[in-house]
């Protein structure tokens, strides 16, 4: 199985795990006051549904889909919009990997490495929009 197939299957198991997105935001919000500040006025139930699709966009991009959706996220997260500073994506990535390990009991080292590559690739597209 290739790396992005492994990641796709792992994501399926994560999405089937009821508390996956709750736990992700618990870890992510705990990672820094700068993250908590950004979500002060957010409807977190709605945000969890949006993120489900957002992660799928990252995985699909790594599987060859055009980067249109990620570039749109780059615009909404840009300095002149929500101003999500580039270093916050490191916290996002580590919170997500931690949550994947907790919820996908089949995720071995190869799968996690695949995830890291998929996420880094997509995040670089979003970050490229920060000052664009
Ligand atoms: C909104 C995805 C990273 C903060 C959103 C939305 C999506 C999304 C799909 C809703 C649509 C939109 O507003 O464009 C992602 C993905 C990320 C990421 C896939 C990583 C690759 C981050 C990071 C932060 C952040 C690092 C830092 C705190 C926010 C905030 C909102 C948002 C504050 C708006 C919440 C609201 O409506 O109140 N994100 N995001 N995101 N994101 Fe991200």
């Amino acid at each position: 199985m290739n790396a992005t197939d492994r990641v796709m299957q792992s994501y399926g198991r994560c999405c089937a795990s009821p508390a996956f997105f709750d736990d992700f935001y618990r870890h992510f919000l705990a990672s820094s006051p700068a993250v908590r500040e950004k979500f002060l006025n957010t409807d977190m139930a709605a945000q969890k549904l949006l993120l489900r699709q957002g992660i799928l966009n990252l995985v699909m991009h790594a599987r060859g889909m055009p980067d249109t959706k990620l570039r749109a996220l780059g615009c909404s997260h840009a300095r002149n919009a929500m101003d999500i500073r580039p270093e916050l994506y490191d916290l996002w990535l580590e919170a997500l990997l931690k949550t994947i390990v907790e919820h996908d009991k089949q995720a071995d080292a190869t799968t996690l490495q695949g995830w890291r590559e998929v996420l880094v690739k997509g995040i670089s597209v979003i970050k490229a929009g920060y000052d664009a």
Side-chain angles (χ1 to χ4, degrees), residues 24-25 28-29 34-44 46-47 49-58 70 72-77 82-93 119 122-124 126:
F24 166 73
Y25 275 110
F28 187 38
L29 293 172
V35 173
R36 290 196 287 282
E37 186 211 324
K38 288 291 178 190
F39 288 106
L40 276 180
N41 299 312
T42 300
D43 170 351
M44 292 312 285
Q47 185 64 22
L49 291 175
L50 289 167
L51 187 68
R52 177 182 286 257
Q53 186 63 39
I55 295 173
L56 188 62
N57 290 152
L58 295 175
L70 298 186
L73 284 178
C75 290
S76 66
H77 290 61
M82 296 195 298
D83 191 14
I84 305 302
R85 293 200 321 274
E87 62 269 23
L88 296 181
Y89 292 88
D90 296 341
L91 301 176
W92 188 97
L93 189 151
L119 299 174
I123 286 171
S124 74
I126 299 175

